[in-house]
Amino acid sequence: MSQMKYDKRADAAGGLILGLLVLWLLFRSLFALPAAVLFIPPFVRCRQGRRQREIIRRRQEEFKNAMSALYSSTASGAPLARALRDTLHEMENSPERFQVLIPEFMRICRELDRNVPMETALLGFAGRSRDEDITQFVKVLTIAVRSGGNLPDIIRRSLDAISLKMDMNSEIETMLAGKRAEFRVMVIVPAGILVYMSMTSPEYMDLLYHSGAGHLVMALAGAVYFGALFLGRKILDIRV
């Protein structure tokens, strides 16, 4: 399945910079800075996960639009193979709306031109997508093709179900938008407090940065902070 291109080196550099900043805020010691490399893997995974979620969101939106075009073509009497080609033609005329699925529909049409069975081509698409909605739709569609079912009606029902699911996710995102903004502020506040205290009361902060007990306290505080950060992200990651 097509994915957005990105630079892994930029993500790794971002994780390293973040690690250096965090360790300097926590310990103010050059000896702690080499541990910044430990921040690279989770930072890279986080960035990749964010991109993957964006790809999934766009793929679902594009698939809904593709199903709408497929329904229009089959409802006008076109067989499924012709409807798939009509859908690809519409997608190619609107490339800004279909950046993820165009290569997949091109592959399906090429396979059909090579006399690959319809069911094989569609199931291959479903397997590459690793998307539950697409997989279920393809299974229902292939059964309808074998049994001679009403394709326009099946596509319309599937389209309605996916649209309902997307609407519910959109409502959830709207409800959580405020909470996510509050969470981002709470993430920044501890670092802001450390910077403020270091600037206004450096002698007080010296107790934390120049003693074994202070380093232990800061290490525990950092562990609690990142644990809360991980938990908060999990709580706010709600999908239907």
Side-chain angles (χ1 to χ4, degrees):
M1 184 64 67
S2 301
Q3 294 187 2
M4 303 173 188
K5 297 181 179 179
Y6 63 92
D7 190 348
K8 290 184 178 180
R9 291 175 297 180
D11 286 347
L16 182 61
I17 293 171
L18 176 64
L20 291 172
L21 291 175
V22 170
L23 291 173
W24 182 252
L25 281 174
L26 288 176
F27 301 110
R28 297 284 178 86
S29 172
L30 293 177
F31 296 103
L33 296 185
V37 296
L38 299 176
F39 285 75
I40 295 177
F43 184 83
V44 171
R45 285 196 299 270
C46 180
R47 297 283 292 179
Q48 289 177 343
R50 183 176 299 177
R51 291 188 183 96
Q52 188 62 32
R53 286 192 293 273
E54 175 62 18
I55 289 173
I56 291 172
R57 185 195 65 78
R58 291 181 61 174
R59 182 175 59 206
Q60 290 176 339
E61 181 68 29
E62 291 183 17
F63 186 62
K64 185 185 76 169
N65 293 333
M67 288 177 63
S68 178
L70 193 64
Y71 168 73
S72 297
S73 184
T74 55
S76 65
L80 183 57
R82 174 62 183 276
L84 287 168
R85 292 183 175 89
D86 290 344
T87 301
L88 174 61
H89 180 70
E90 181 171 331
M91 295 167 77
E92 290 176 330
N93 288 333
S94 303
E96 70 283 352
R97 294 174 55 212
F98 297 96
Q99 298 181 24
V100 177
L101 288 185
I102 284 181
E104 288 298 325
F105 272 71
M106 291 178 65
R107 180 169 178 173
I108 291 173
C109 291
R110 285 198 303 268
E111 290 178 348
L112 294 179
D113 291 337
R114 296 198 303 265
N115 296 321
V116 174
M118 175 72 69
E119 182 174 348
T120 301
L122 292 176
L123 289 176
F125 164 53
R128 292 188 300 272
S129 73
R130 291 178 292 182
D131 184 281
E132 182 181 356
D133 291 330
I134 294 177
T135 300
Q136 292 300 322
F137 170 73
V138 167
K139 287 181 178 179
V140 173
L141 193 61
T142 53
I143 292 173
V145 170
R146 288 199 303 264
S147 61
N150 189 332
L151 288 180
D153 184 60
I154 291 172
I155 295 172
R156 181 184 59 79
R157 290 176 183 272
S158 299
L159 177 60
D160 290 343
I162 291 178
S163 297
L164 177 61
K165 181 177 179 178
M166 292 181 64
D167 290 342
M168 292 177 64
N169 280 326
S170 178
E171 291 181 8
I172 291 174
E173 289 294 321
T174 301
M175 290 187 292
L176 291 178
K179 297 299 180 183
R180 288 200 173 100
E182 294 174 6
F183 179 70
R184 295 189 188 100
V185 172
M186 293 173 65
V187 167
I188 298 173
V189 165
I193 292 175
L194 283 177
V195 173
Y196 174 79
M197 293 295 293
S198 297
M199 294 175 61
T200 59
S201 303
E203 67 285 350
Y204 174 77
M205 298 299 292
D206 284 344
L207 296 174
L208 294 174
Y209 291 129
H210 298 99
S211 67
H215 288 161
L216 179 60
V217 169
M218 294 301 282
L220 291 174
V224 171
Y225 171 81
F226 283 106
L229 178 63
F230 176 80
L231 182 61
R233 287 175 59 87
K234 287 294 184 181
I235 290 175
L236 292 175
D237 186 18
I238 300 175
R239 305 286 295 178
V240 175

